[in-house]
């Protein structure tokens, strides 16, 4: 976890290549070079700013938790490695997601911080969290942020996603409409 300041003009110093005393961190066994513990930050919306319960965020977190438990229980996926997570409520809000990303990259796990962040659920919160993860040099992967803006790799250097960008979804929908020869299309919400 590196220290960094929250100023537009004050960027973090480049991390050292190795610790000053050339010691190996305790969670990376010298024999394998693989970490025995991987700390993951989880940005999921549980409550919106209005105070309303966010069932879709809770359901997505449940799937995330099942995946973590599955990986930890099997020896054929990441043998001798345990995944830990620190959960933060992004509230489907840009400010909350930014604040929680700062916490995950500077304070989580008693200051040991996270190796990666999963989330946020919406594009706006993911954009703000991605500005933090870029400064902290922590990879971020979103499970449902689709804004084409997030594809700008100069701005969102450490951001990845598991869903296609809106730009690709629009092309795919247009291809479907053309392929089936539909003259009228209706969207339902």
């Amino acid at each position: 976890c590196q220290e960094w300041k929250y100023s537009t003009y004050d960027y973090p110093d480049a991390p050292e290549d190795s610790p000053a005393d050339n010691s190996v961190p305790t969670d990376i066994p010298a024999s394998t070079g693989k970490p025995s513990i991987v700390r993951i930050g989880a940005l999921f919306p549980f409550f919106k700013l209005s105070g309303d319960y966010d069932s879709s965020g809770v359901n997505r977190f449940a799937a995330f938790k099942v995946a973590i438990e599955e990986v930890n229980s099997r020896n054929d996926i990441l043998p001798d490695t345990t995944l830990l997570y620190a959960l933060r409520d992004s509230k489907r809000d840009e400010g909350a997601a930014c604040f929680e990303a700062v916490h995950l990259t500077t304070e989580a796990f008693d200051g040991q911080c996270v190796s990666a962040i999963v989330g946020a659920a919406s594009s706006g919160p993911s954009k703000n969290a991605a500005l933090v993860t870029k400064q902290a040099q922590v990879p971020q992967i979103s499970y449902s942020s689709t804004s084409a803006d997030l594809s700008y790799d100069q701005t969102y250097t450490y951001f990845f996603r598991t869903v296609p960008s809106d730009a690709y979804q629009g092309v795919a929908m247009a291809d479907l409409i053309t392929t089936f020869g539909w003259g009228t299309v209706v969207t339902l919400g």
Side-chain angles (χ1 to χ4, degrees):
C1 177
Q2 67 179 7
E3 292 183 25
W4 54 283
K5 299 183 181 185
Y6 311 102
S7 164
T8 307
Y9 305 104
D10 194 3
Y11 294 100
D13 295 327
E16 295 293 324
D17 290 335
S18 62
D21 62 358
N22 293 321
S23 63
V24 176
T26 57
D27 58 350
I28 301 177
S31 61
T32 65
K34 295 186 323 185
S36 60
I37 297 172
V38 175
R39 295 170 184 85
I40 301 170
L43 280 177
F44 289 84
F46 275 69
F47 294 95
K48 298 177 185 175
L49 284 180
S50 64
D52 293 341
Y53 181 71
D54 192 325
S55 61
S56 117
V58 171
N59 290 339
R60 288 173 176 162
F61 170 70
F64 168 84
K65 188 174 175 187
V66 166
I68 295 288
E69 291 169 355
E70 179 72 14
V71 169
N72 285 341
S73 70
R74 293 180 52 175
N75 291 327
D76 60 332
I77 298 176
L78 289 174
D80 304 318
T81 300
T82 301
L83 302 179
L84 303 176
Y85 65 87
L87 174 63
R88 304 302 287 186
D89 186 356
S90 62
K91 300 184 187 305
R92 286 200 194 270
D93 177 73
E94 291 87 350
C98 182
F99 177 79
E100 299 303 354
V102 167
H103 174 83
L104 291 169
T105 59
T106 60
E107 299 175 35
F109 296 105
D110 294 323
Q112 294 181 59
C113 305
V114 297
S115 300
I117 292 179
V118 175
S122 305
S123 294
S126 284
K127 287 178 187 180
N128 279 9
L131 296 175
V132 172
T133 61
K134 177 181 178 180
Q135 291 299 315
Q137 300 178 351
V138 171
Q140 173 188 355
I141 186 163
S142 174
Y143 43 87
S144 63
S145 296
T146 59
S147 171
D149 292 346
L150 287 162
S151 298
Y152 299 137
D153 59 351
Q154 293 297 321
T155 305
Y156 304 109
T157 312
Y158 286 82
F159 179 83
F160 304 90
R161 57 176 146 211
T162 59
V163 294
S165 145
D166 288 334
Y168 293 112
Q169 291 183 46
V171 170
M173 286 187 270
D175 285 348
L176 270 174
I177 292 166
T178 302
T179 299
F180 288 105
W182 296 332
T184 305
V185 179
V186 177
T187 59
L188 302 174

